[in-house]
Amino acid sequence: MSVISSAYSGFRLAYEALRGHRGWGPAWRKAAPKQAYDVVIVGGGGHGLATAYYLAKNHGITNVAVLERGGIGLGNVGRNTTIIRSNYFSPENIRFYDFSLRLWEGLEAELNYNAMVSQRGALNLVHADGQRDLLARRANQMLLEGVDAELLDKDGVKRLVPLVDVDNGRFPVLGGFLQRRGGTVRHDAVAWGYARAADRRGVDIVEKCEVTGITREGDAVTGVETSLGSIRAGKVLFAVAGHSSLLAAMAGFRLPLETHVLQAFVSEAVKPLIDCVVTYGAGHFYVSQSDKGGLVFGGALDGYNSYARRGSLPMVEDVLAAGLTLMPALGRLRVLRQWGGAMDMTADGNPIISTTPVRNLYLNGGWCYGGFKAIPAGGFTTAHLVATGAPHPLIAHFGLERFREGRVIDERGIGPYAWMH
Ligand SMILES: Cc1cc2nc3c(=O)[nH]c(=O)nc-3n(C[C@H](O)[C@H](O)[C@H](O)COP(=O)(O)OP(=O)(O)OC[C@H]3O[C@@H](n4cnc5c(N)ncnc54)[C@H](O)[C@@H]3O)c2cc1C
């Protein structure tokens, strides 16, 4: 039987270093599924694992299984560009995402896990007067909610990121919109940290266990069929990101979602070049530098529906062209790796954390481009929903019924579009 690793500390690190690091145990147990659980969570990504952790910690519900068809951290939680921020416009979204940012700020101490939370700042560039007006409005709205936001002029941008071509002939930079508390987090460490913390509170994390069917009695869910057999469940949560529509079909209903692939890229490692996250305002391009030195960047979705986690070459060209317009010096770098993730896009670009047409079946999904930053708050509020059956006040606007009732979320006040995330 494996010995689970005890608490991590500086003392322990020094002790293990002297013993050749032979004393570390696995971070979580390799659990085999039981026949029945109070709650079964389908999907061992960031949201599924965080929900399991907060169910145990906040609500004392520990008879919980997280069923993951692959390995922990191999879904979108380990495939994203790692950006966290709360620079939204609508008051409801500012409150939700800033709650998440505040949880990020204390997360490593809470989980006893180094997730490399780095509040290095998130900068959006301004290339037109109208864009500056919109971002000024957004900054004011954030300040009204007590959240940090700053507007920079062109010189301020140049000082912060000298690499940006502020005098670009086609898209000159007029200024920037900065949230200093935004930044990056080591993405797969988030999955590992929540997995370890949930496991230590008694949650079973079952890997290589694919859910293949949903069992119902009348209008209520009663369990799941899996590649490891049938499991009964009092409540079931879908937290499968890009695969939400497939799971919903197994349960007998449809979701207003489309799945697309989103690609990301990393360059060869170089010395420190970019100190913060930079988002291009004239095209869809965002970039930061990892602690290893690689530039991590991405752009928009591939334009067709797909569950494949690889993208098309036209989008590679599009992303690289935007990057070179913004920072011509990047042309000297080589791209080291490229990958993709299956994105669950809603019509208004906002997530769904909700009850479903099936009783005792809940959904956390529709994260579009932005579900990584939301993992702590998503897990916290989804746990509340599953435990109590009622939405936490921070997610009252994320209900599934909004699509049927025509109350879609107009996040930026300029139209409820999926790409306005
Ligand atoms: C390239 C890219 C860049 C991104 N950049 C950012 C960013 O910078 N900032 C940000 O906030 N967000 C970003 N995102 C979005 C973010 O990664 C996702 O919204 C978020 O990770 C989704 O939630 P999750 O972590 O729970 O999903 P996942 O990690 O995908 O977890 C879902 C899990 O469900 C499992 N699963 C699916 N079907 C089944 C089944 N039948 N049975 C059992 N298990 C199943 C999958 O294997 C998967 O592990 C990005 C996404 C991509 C792809």
Side-chain angles (χ1 to χ4, degrees), residues 42-48 67-71 73-84 209-212 239-243 247 250 262-264 286 309 339-344 364 367-375:
V42 188
H47 286 276
L67 309 182
E68 167 54 50
R69 68 176 183 166
L74 300 182
N76 285 354
V77 68
R79 291 169 173 267
N80 59 68
T81 41
T82 77
I83 302 167
I84 60 167
C209 179
E210 178 165 5
V211 170
T212 52
V240 291
H243 295 81
L247 268 294
M250 290 178 202
L262 178 67
Q263 304 188 49
Y286 33 92
R309 290 189 286 187
W339 63 92
M343 311 287 284
D344 42 341
N364 168 315
W367 286 106
C368 303
Y369 291 84
F372 176 67
K373 67 175 96 66
I375 284 171

Side-chain angles (χ1 to χ4, degrees), residues 293-315:
L295 299 192
V296 180
F297 54 94
L301 299 172
D302 281 61
Y304 50 87
N305 300 136
S306 172
Y307 293 100
R309 290 189 286 187
R310 56 178 187 273
S312 66
L313 284 175
M315 188 49 70

Side-chain angles (χ1 to χ4, degrees), residues 378-392:
F380 191 103
T381 52
T382 306
H384 177 99
L385 175 69
V386 173
T388 65
H392 188 282

Side-chain angles (χ1 to χ4, degrees), residues 37 47 71 101 125 138 191 221 228 252 255 264 288 290 342 379 400:
Y37 289 93
H47 286 276
L101 204 45
L125 297 177
R138 193 149 36 127
V221 70
L228 299 181
L255 288 172
S288 65
S290 79
L400 187 54

Side-chain angles (χ1 to χ4, degrees), residues 19 33 37 40 80 148 174 178 181 188 203 308 367-368 400 405 419:
R19 304 194 319 146
Y37 289 93
V40 162
N80 59 68
D148 69 306
L174 307 184
L178 175 67
R181 287 168 58 243
D188 34 20
V203 171
W367 286 106
C368 303
L400 187 54
E405 295 170 358
W419 60 90

